Amino acid sequence: MEPIKVGLLGFGTVGSGTFTVLRRNQEEIKRRAGRGIEVARIAVRNPAKARAALDDDALFSLVTDNFDAVVDDPSIGIVAEMIGGTTIARDLVLRAIANGKHVVTANKALLAVHGTEIFEAAHAKGVMVAFEAAVAGGIPIIKALREGLTANRIQYIAGIINGTTNYILSEMRERGLDFATALKGAQELGYAEADPTFDIEGVDAAHKLTIMSAIAFGVPVQFERAYIEGISKLAAIDIKYAEDLGYRIKLLGIARRAERGIELRVHPTLIPAKRLLANVEGAMNAVVVHGDAVGSTLYYGKGAGAEPTASAVVADLVDVTRLHTADPEHRVPHLAFQPDSLSNTPILSIDEVTSGYYLRLRVADVTGVLAGITRILADSGISIDALLQKESEEVDGGDETDIVIITHETLEKNVNAAIREIEALSTVVSKVTKLRMEALN
Ligand code: HSE
């Protein structure tokens, strides 16, 4: 049988990695897919740059700067979108779908923001949109959630799904660095981009979490409902105090089935240091999925990079090659649940989320200060799990000290109300730093 022809849109890290892996492993891939998979066109903004990256002059003719020509080419069966962003990529993906082509994409932002429109278009046209590479790079988490765990009612997902921030947090903890210094180091080593905003402010993680939440709970992708807090304001002292109390701080994406809805949130989170997730260091990714039948499962690996991401893209190309002749109704649904069976369970606002809390505040070292604070917490129905008071000599030489309080699980809006009362006390001389914590047990 003739190989299925792929049009690559973009030839950056992921596009060129995909090209390399497909060529290197072509024999095994063919034996798995039942048919060869061949890159027939490569569309790029700068053809000279792409040609320079190809090691064989005979391949130069594949390269074009005409993206529309690739998406419209009748010989192309699968369009692999590796451009990124939500504008040109959206137009090209929708055009490919309208032309009856299957799409493979690594674009998390595109699916988190425009997923509903794209999946509806694909469903109407009977084509597949595959996106394993969009979440946690090489970790086959989409496959696991959508197929391997399909028997389960998923209770929660908690993931380290951004390598840049995990690298920065590891550096801050291991070397006692502040955020700005750790970010600069990450940029020098190529772990963080020149404009790191999407990574450090949690947006990239929220894109990935939004996609996973849809597959886990059978709800539409709702990026606009995600609560997002990054790590740029995280102080080195909190990493240190958390460690003193037996916790590590990670940027977690958490999607949880709660009583009144679904929690969808990305923020720095204290987790007990003995948990496997707490020991995922450097740029690695890991995702815990807890299902009612299976219990907790953990997926670990590289969340970025040319070949780890290509591993996921090629897996999707193989899936599409195997399934493109199947009746569309018999394929695995894009978001795991049948499109007419999506649920309208609400995404909860952050006020309605339940969590443990880490509270740090600076107080005057005078009689009764602690009693005043604990009274407010008790009156608010907030139970204290652990408490740390530094010797004032250690903190500022004598007059003031830091208090750190860890609470049991409670509603976020109750904690916020208690914090307002605590900050109004005359003995409290700082704002309260609040971080959320998860026991993950
Ligand atoms: N920038 C991402 C990360 C990889 O640092 O994990 C691509 O989503």
Side-chain angles (χ1 to χ4, degrees), residues 56-93:
D56 181 348
D57 294 2
L59 299 169
F60 283 12
S61 61
L62 303 185
V63 181
T64 172
D65 61 1
N66 188 342
F67 287 79
D68 290 344
V70 174
V71 176
D72 293 341
D73 183 336
S75 74
I76 298 284
I78 311 173
V79 167
E81 184 273 308
M82 315 281 150
I83 307 169
T86 53
T87 52
I88 299 165
R90 171 177 166 270
D91 295 344
L92 289 168
V93 163

mmCIF file of all heavy atoms in Angstrom, residues 56-93:
data_model
loop_
_atom_site.group_PDB
_atom_site.id
_atom_site.type_symbol
_atom_site.label_atom_id
_atom_site.label_comp_id
_atom_site.label_asym_id
_atom_site.label_seq_id
_atom_site.Cartn_x
_atom_site.Cartn_y
_atom_site.Cartn_z
ATOM 1 N N ASP A 56 19.615 16.298 3.521
ATOM 2 C CA ASP A 56 19.622 15.654 2.212
ATOM 3 C C ASP A 56 19.006 16.623 1.191
ATOM 4 O O ASP A 56 17.828 16.986 1.300
ATOM 5 C CB ASP A 56 18.753 14.367 2.348
ATOM 6 C CG ASP A 56 18.703 13.583 1.055
ATOM 7 O OD1 ASP A 56 19.130 14.125 0.017
ATOM 8 O OD2 ASP A 56 18.225 12.437 1.100
ATOM 9 N N ASP A 57 19.815 17.035 0.202
ATOM 10 C CA ASP A 57 19.344 18.020 -0.788
ATOM 11 C C ASP A 57 18.067 17.565 -1.492
ATOM 12 O O ASP A 57 17.245 18.381 -1.910
ATOM 13 C CB ASP A 57 20.413 18.255 -1.859
ATOM 14 C CG ASP A 57 21.643 18.926 -1.275
ATOM 15 O OD1 ASP A 57 21.648 19.157 -0.040
ATOM 16 O OD2 ASP A 57 22.577 19.200 -2.038
ATOM 17 N N ALA A 58 17.913 16.247 -1.623
ATOM 18 C CA ALA A 58 16.743 15.710 -2.325
ATOM 19 C C ALA A 58 15.444 16.087 -1.610
ATOM 20 O O ALA A 58 14.368 16.038 -2.214
ATOM 21 C CB ALA A 58 16.855 14.191 -2.432
ATOM 22 N N LEU A 59 15.566 16.473 -0.320
ATOM 23 C CA LEU A 59 14.355 16.790 0.443
ATOM 24 C C LEU A 59 13.943 18.259 0.308
ATOM 25 O O LEU A 59 12.864 18.650 0.746
ATOM 26 C CB LEU A 59 14.574 16.473 1.933
ATOM 27 C CG LEU A 59 14.877 15.012 2.264
ATOM 28 C CD1 LEU A 59 15.326 14.858 3.707
ATOM 29 C CD2 LEU A 59 13.643 14.151 1.999
ATOM 30 N N PHE A 60 14.832 19.066 -0.309
ATOM 31 C CA PHE A 60 14.546 20.501 -0.397
ATOM 32 C C PHE A 60 13.207 20.784 -1.068
ATOM 33 O O PHE A 60 12.513 21.731 -0.734
ATOM 34 C CB PHE A 60 15.647 21.218 -1.191
ATOM 35 C CG PHE A 60 16.910 21.439 -0.399
ATOM 36 C CD1 PHE A 60 17.114 20.815 0.827
ATOM 37 C CD2 PHE A 60 17.904 22.281 -0.894
ATOM 38 C CE1 PHE A 60 18.283 21.012 1.545
ATOM 39 C CE2 PHE A 60 19.068 22.488 -0.178
ATOM 40 C CZ PHE A 60 19.259 21.844 1.043
ATOM 41 N N SER A 61 12.876 19.928 -2.036
ATOM 42 C CA SER A 61 11.647 20.185 -2.804
ATOM 43 C C SER A 61 10.388 20.028 -1.941
ATOM 44 O O SER A 61 9.311 20.467 -2.340
ATOM 45 C CB SER A 61 11.571 19.220 -3.984
ATOM 46 O OG SER A 61 11.529 17.900 -3.477
ATOM 47 N N LEU A 62 10.515 19.441 -0.771
ATOM 48 C CA LEU A 62 9.333 19.294 0.102
ATOM 49 C C LEU A 62 8.932 20.627 0.719
ATOM 50 O O LEU A 62 7.806 20.815 1.148
ATOM 51 C CB LEU A 62 9.623 18.314 1.261
ATOM 52 C CG LEU A 62 10.088 16.893 0.944
ATOM 53 C CD1 LEU A 62 10.199 16.091 2.226
ATOM 54 C CD2 LEU A 62 9.103 16.228 -0.005
ATOM 55 N N VAL A 63 9.917 21.540 0.797
ATOM 56 C CA VAL A 63 9.715 22.756 1.598
ATOM 57 C C VAL A 63 9.042 23.860 0.784
ATOM 58 O O VAL A 63 9.418 24.119 -0.362
ATOM 59 C CB VAL A 63 11.075 23.260 2.138
ATOM 60 C CG1 VAL A 63 10.872 24.516 2.986
ATOM 61 C CG2 VAL A 63 11.765 22.168 2.946
ATOM 62 N N THR A 64 8.065 24.488 1.406
ATOM 63 C CA THR A 64 7.370 25.615 0.766
ATOM 64 C C THR A 64 7.034 26.657 1.824
ATOM 65 O O THR A 64 6.990 26.331 3.018
ATOM 66 C CB THR A 64 6.064 25.135 0.089
ATOM 67 O OG1 THR A 64 5.327 26.267 -0.365
ATOM 68 C CG2 THR A 64 5.172 24.375 1.059
ATOM 69 N N ASP A 65 6.789 27.886 1.376
ATOM 70 C CA ASP A 65 6.283 28.877 2.345
ATOM 71 C C ASP A 65 4.782 29.100 2.153
ATOM 72 O O ASP A 65 4.197 30.004 2.722
ATOM 73 C CB ASP A 65 7.065 30.189 2.253
ATOM 74 C CG ASP A 65 6.959 30.834 0.876
ATOM 75 O OD1 ASP A 65 6.267 30.262 0.001
ATOM 76 O OD2 ASP A 65 7.573 31.898 0.671
ATOM 77 N N ASN A 66 4.167 28.241 1.348
ATOM 78 C CA ASN A 66 2.738 28.385 1.076
ATOM 79 C C ASN A 66 1.946 27.367 1.937
ATOM 80 O O ASN A 66 1.752 26.217 1.552
ATOM 81 C CB ASN A 66 2.494 28.143 -0.427
ATOM 82 C CG ASN A 66 1.069 28.475 -0.808
ATOM 83 O OD1 ASN A 66 0.186 28.554 0.048
ATOM 84 N ND2 ASN A 66 0.843 28.661 -2.101
ATOM 85 N N PHE A 67 1.520 27.830 3.120
ATOM 86 C CA PHE A 67 0.810 26.949 4.060
ATOM 87 C C PHE A 67 -0.517 26.470 3.463
ATOM 88 O O PHE A 67 -0.899 25.309 3.616
ATOM 89 C CB PHE A 67 0.552 27.682 5.387
ATOM 90 C CG PHE A 67 1.793 27.866 6.224
ATOM 91 C CD1 PHE A 67 2.716 28.861 5.936
ATOM 92 C CD2 PHE A 67 2.049 27.031 7.296
ATOM 93 C CE1 PHE A 67 3.869 29.027 6.698
ATOM 94 C CE2 PHE A 67 3.194 27.181 8.069
ATOM 95 C CZ PHE A 67 4.106 28.185 7.767
ATOM 96 N N ASP A 68 -1.221 27.399 2.787
ATOM 97 C CA ASP A 68 -2.526 27.033 2.219
ATOM 98 C C ASP A 68 -2.380 25.903 1.199
ATOM 99 O O ASP A 68 -3.229 24.994 1.135
ATOM 100 C CB ASP A 68 -3.174 28.242 1.533
ATOM 101 C CG ASP A 68 -3.621 29.282 2.550
ATOM 102 O OD1 ASP A 68 -3.709 28.920 3.749
ATOM 103 O OD2 ASP A 68 -3.862 30.436 2.163
ATOM 104 N N ALA A 69 -1.284 25.961 0.424
ATOM 105 C CA ALA A 69 -1.099 24.931 -0.616
ATOM 106 C C ALA A 69 -0.975 23.544 0.016
ATOM 107 O O ALA A 69 -1.461 22.551 -0.545
ATOM 108 C CB ALA A 69 0.144 25.255 -1.441
ATOM 109 N N VAL A 70 -0.357 23.468 1.176
ATOM 110 C CA VAL A 70 -0.216 22.169 1.850
ATOM 111 C C VAL A 70 -1.571 21.700 2.385
ATOM 112 O O VAL A 70 -1.964 20.547 2.214
ATOM 113 C CB VAL A 70 0.830 22.276 2.995
ATOM 114 C CG1 VAL A 70 0.875 20.982 3.808
ATOM 115 C CG2 VAL A 70 2.205 22.608 2.423
ATOM 116 N N VAL A 71 -2.284 22.634 3.000
ATOM 117 C CA VAL A 71 -3.583 22.284 3.591
ATOM 118 C C VAL A 71 -4.615 21.930 2.511
ATOM 119 O O VAL A 71 -5.552 21.174 2.759
ATOM 120 C CB VAL A 71 -4.062 23.471 4.471
ATOM 121 C CG1 VAL A 71 -5.420 23.222 5.032
ATOM 122 C CG2 VAL A 71 -3.091 23.690 5.604
ATOM 123 N N ASP A 72 -4.404 22.487 1.318
ATOM 124 C CA ASP A 72 -5.347 22.219 0.214
ATOM 125 C C ASP A 72 -4.897 21.063 -0.695
ATOM 126 O O ASP A 72 -5.632 20.675 -1.603
ATOM 127 C CB ASP A 72 -5.502 23.478 -0.666
ATOM 128 C CG ASP A 72 -6.185 24.616 0.088
ATOM 129 O OD1 ASP A 72 -6.836 24.332 1.116
ATOM 130 O OD2 ASP A 72 -6.057 25.780 -0.330
ATOM 131 N N ASP A 73 -3.704 20.553 -0.474
ATOM 132 C CA ASP A 73 -3.145 19.527 -1.378
ATOM 133 C C ASP A 73 -3.943 18.217 -1.259
ATOM 134 O O ASP A 73 -3.986 17.602 -0.193
ATOM 135 C CB ASP A 73 -1.675 19.295 -0.971
ATOM 136 C CG ASP A 73 -0.972 18.297 -1.880
ATOM 137 O OD1 ASP A 73 -1.657 17.459 -2.501
ATOM 138 O OD2 ASP A 73 0.263 18.338 -1.944
ATOM 139 N N PRO A 74 -4.580 17.789 -2.355
ATOM 140 C CA PRO A 74 -5.438 16.595 -2.275
ATOM 141 C C PRO A 74 -4.677 15.312 -1.932
ATOM 142 O O PRO A 74 -5.276 14.355 -1.440
ATOM 143 C CB PRO A 74 -6.055 16.484 -3.669
ATOM 144 C CG PRO A 74 -5.505 17.591 -4.481
ATOM 145 C CD PRO A 74 -4.543 18.390 -3.696
ATOM 146 N N SER A 75 -3.355 15.311 -2.152
ATOM 147 C CA SER A 75 -2.613 14.070 -1.859
ATOM 148 C C SER A 75 -2.285 13.929 -0.374
ATOM 149 O O SER A 75 -1.914 12.861 0.092
ATOM 150 C CB SER A 75 -1.307 14.031 -2.675
ATOM 151 O OG SER A 75 -0.368 14.934 -2.127
ATOM 152 N N ILE A 76 -2.430 15.014 0.383
ATOM 153 C CA ILE A 76 -2.090 14.986 1.817
ATOM 154 C C ILE A 76 -3.273 14.404 2.612
ATOM 155 O O ILE A 76 -4.393 14.894 2.509
ATOM 156 C CB ILE A 76 -1.793 16.422 2.335
ATOM 157 C CG1 ILE A 76 -0.589 17.025 1.614
ATOM 158 C CG2 ILE A 76 -1.624 16.457 3.856
ATOM 159 C CD1 ILE A 76 0.745 16.513 2.040
ATOM 160 N N GLY A 77 -2.987 13.371 3.409
ATOM 161 C CA GLY A 77 -4.054 12.770 4.222
ATOM 162 C C GLY A 77 -4.097 13.320 5.635
ATOM 163 O O GLY A 77 -5.153 13.397 6.258
ATOM 164 N N ILE A 78 -2.915 13.682 6.153
ATOM 165 C CA ILE A 78 -2.844 14.180 7.536
ATOM 166 C C ILE A 78 -2.045 15.481 7.560
ATOM 167 O O ILE A 78 -0.940 15.556 7.005
ATOM 168 C CB ILE A 78 -2.129 13.182 8.482
ATOM 169 C CG1 ILE A 78 -2.679 11.760 8.332
ATOM 170 C CG2 ILE A 78 -2.211 13.654 9.926
ATOM 171 C CD1 ILE A 78 -1.894 10.698 9.121
ATOM 172 N N VAL A 79 -2.616 16.489 8.210
ATOM 173 C CA VAL A 79 -1.889 17.745 8.417
ATOM 174 C C VAL A 79 -1.398 17.753 9.860
ATOM 175 O O VAL A 79 -2.187 17.565 10.793
ATOM 176 C CB VAL A 79 -2.817 18.957 8.140
ATOM 177 C CG1 VAL A 79 -2.194 20.239 8.651
ATOM 178 C CG2 VAL A 79 -3.101 19.055 6.644
ATOM 179 N N ALA A 80 -0.092 17.942 10.026
ATOM 180 C CA ALA A 80 0.475 17.998 11.380
ATOM 181 C C ALA A 80 0.836 19.444 11.683
ATOM 182 O O ALA A 80 1.746 20.005 11.077
ATOM 183 C CB ALA A 80 1.706 17.092 11.476
ATOM 184 N N GLU A 81 0.068 20.038 12.582
ATOM 185 C CA GLU A 81 0.222 21.473 12.868
ATOM 186 C C GLU A 81 1.231 21.661 14.006
ATOM 187 O O GLU A 81 0.989 21.243 15.125
ATOM 188 C CB GLU A 81 -1.151 22.054 13.243
ATOM 189 C CG GLU A 81 -1.158 23.546 13.475
ATOM 190 C CD GLU A 81 -0.800 23.927 14.896
ATOM 191 O OE1 GLU A 81 -1.407 23.390 15.839
ATOM 192 O OE2 GLU A 81 0.106 24.767 15.071
ATOM 193 N N MET A 82 2.352 22.300 13.695
ATOM 194 C CA MET A 82 3.434 22.492 14.660
ATOM 195 C C MET A 82 3.814 23.970 14.726
ATOM 196 O O MET A 82 4.967 24.302 15.002
ATOM 197 C CB MET A 82 4.691 21.700 14.238
ATOM 198 C CG MET A 82 4.444 20.302 13.784
ATOM 199 S SD MET A 82 4.203 19.238 15.190
ATOM 200 C CE MET A 82 3.122 18.032 14.483
ATOM 201 N N ILE A 83 2.851 24.839 14.437
ATOM 202 C CA ILE A 83 3.161 26.274 14.386
ATOM 203 C C ILE A 83 3.035 26.894 15.770
ATOM 204 O O ILE A 83 3.840 27.707 16.184
ATOM 205 C CB ILE A 83 2.186 27.012 13.435
ATOM 206 C CG1 ILE A 83 2.159 26.349 12.063
ATOM 207 C CG2 ILE A 83 2.547 28.474 13.319
ATOM 208 C CD1 ILE A 83 1.025 26.864 11.197
ATOM 209 N N GLY A 84 1.976 26.511 16.482
ATOM 210 C CA GLY A 84 1.700 27.127 17.781
ATOM 211 C C GLY A 84 0.853 28.372 17.607
ATOM 212 O O GLY A 84 0.611 28.848 16.490
ATOM 213 N N GLY A 85 0.363 28.891 18.751
ATOM 214 C CA GLY A 85 -0.465 30.099 18.712
ATOM 215 C C GLY A 85 -1.906 29.766 18.361
ATOM 216 O O GLY A 85 -2.252 28.615 18.056
ATOM 217 N N THR A 86 -2.737 30.801 18.409
ATOM 218 C CA THR A 86 -4.176 30.540 18.273
ATOM 219 C C THR A 86 -4.805 31.275 17.087
ATOM 220 O O THR A 86 -6.021 31.305 16.966
ATOM 221 C CB THR A 86 -4.922 30.958 19.562
ATOM 222 O OG1 THR A 86 -4.573 32.312 19.846
ATOM 223 C CG2 THR A 86 -4.559 30.087 20.732
ATOM 224 N N THR A 87 -3.980 31.872 16.240
ATOM 225 C CA THR A 87 -4.564 32.633 15.127
ATOM 226 C C THR A 87 -4.372 31.889 13.794
ATOM 227 O O THR A 87 -5.301 31.248 13.300
ATOM 228 C CB THR A 87 -3.957 34.052 15.083
ATOM 229 O OG1 THR A 87 -2.532 33.942 15.092
ATOM 230 C CG2 THR A 87 -4.400 34.873 16.267
ATOM 231 N N ILE A 88 -3.133 31.949 13.269
ATOM 232 C CA ILE A 88 -2.876 31.284 11.976
ATOM 233 C C ILE A 88 -3.130 29.782 12.117
ATOM 234 O O ILE A 88 -3.717 29.144 11.236
ATOM 235 C CB ILE A 88 -1.415 31.526 11.532
ATOM 236 C CG1 ILE A 88 -1.185 33.028 11.348
ATOM 237 C CG2 ILE A 88 -1.081 30.783 10.256
ATOM 238 C CD1 ILE A 88 0.272 33.422 11.259
ATOM 239 N N ALA A 89 -2.702 29.235 13.241
ATOM 240 C CA ALA A 89 -2.868 27.790 13.460
ATOM 241 C C ALA A 89 -4.351 27.410 13.430
ATOM 242 O O ALA A 89 -4.731 26.391 12.849
ATOM 243 C CB ALA A 89 -2.243 27.385 14.797
ATOM 244 N N ARG A 90 -5.184 28.243 14.038
ATOM 245 C CA ARG A 90 -6.626 27.952 14.045
ATOM 246 C C ARG A 90 -7.184 27.941 12.624
ATOM 247 O O ARG A 90 -7.909 27.015 12.224
ATOM 248 C CB ARG A 90 -7.363 28.993 14.897
ATOM 249 C CG ARG A 90 -8.866 28.917 14.808
ATOM 250 C CD ARG A 90 -9.536 29.930 15.719
ATOM 251 N NE ARG A 90 -10.935 30.069 15.381
ATOM 252 C CZ ARG A 90 -11.412 30.941 14.494
ATOM 253 N NH1 ARG A 90 -10.578 31.775 13.861
ATOM 254 N NH2 ARG A 90 -12.692 31.010 14.228
ATOM 255 N N ASP A 91 -6.828 28.973 11.852
ATOM 256 C CA ASP A 91 -7.337 29.063 10.479
ATOM 257 C C ASP A 91 -6.911 27.842 9.660
ATOM 258 O O ASP A 91 -7.714 27.256 8.924
ATOM 259 C CB ASP A 91 -6.805 30.326 9.792
ATOM 260 C CG ASP A 91 -7.342 31.586 10.454
ATOM 261 O OD1 ASP A 91 -8.321 31.478 11.216
ATOM 262 O OD2 ASP A 91 -6.773 32.669 10.225
ATOM 263 N N LEU A 92 -5.641 27.471 9.806
ATOM 264 C CA LEU A 92 -5.129 26.352 8.991
ATOM 265 C C LEU A 92 -5.752 25.020 9.417
ATOM 266 O O LEU A 92 -6.087 24.176 8.579
ATOM 267 C CB LEU A 92 -3.604 26.296 9.088
ATOM 268 C CG LEU A 92 -2.866 27.439 8.365
ATOM 269 C CD1 LEU A 92 -1.400 27.478 8.754
ATOM 270 C CD2 LEU A 92 -3.012 27.295 6.836
ATOM 271 N N VAL A 93 -5.912 24.836 10.726
ATOM 272 C CA VAL A 93 -6.503 23.585 11.209
ATOM 273 C C VAL A 93 -7.957 23.477 10.733
ATOM 274 O O VAL A 93 -8.390 22.426 10.242
ATOM 275 C CB VAL A 93 -6.390 23.501 12.760
ATOM 276 C CG1 VAL A 93 -7.343 22.456 13.330
ATOM 277 C CG2 VAL A 93 -4.946 23.192 13.157
#
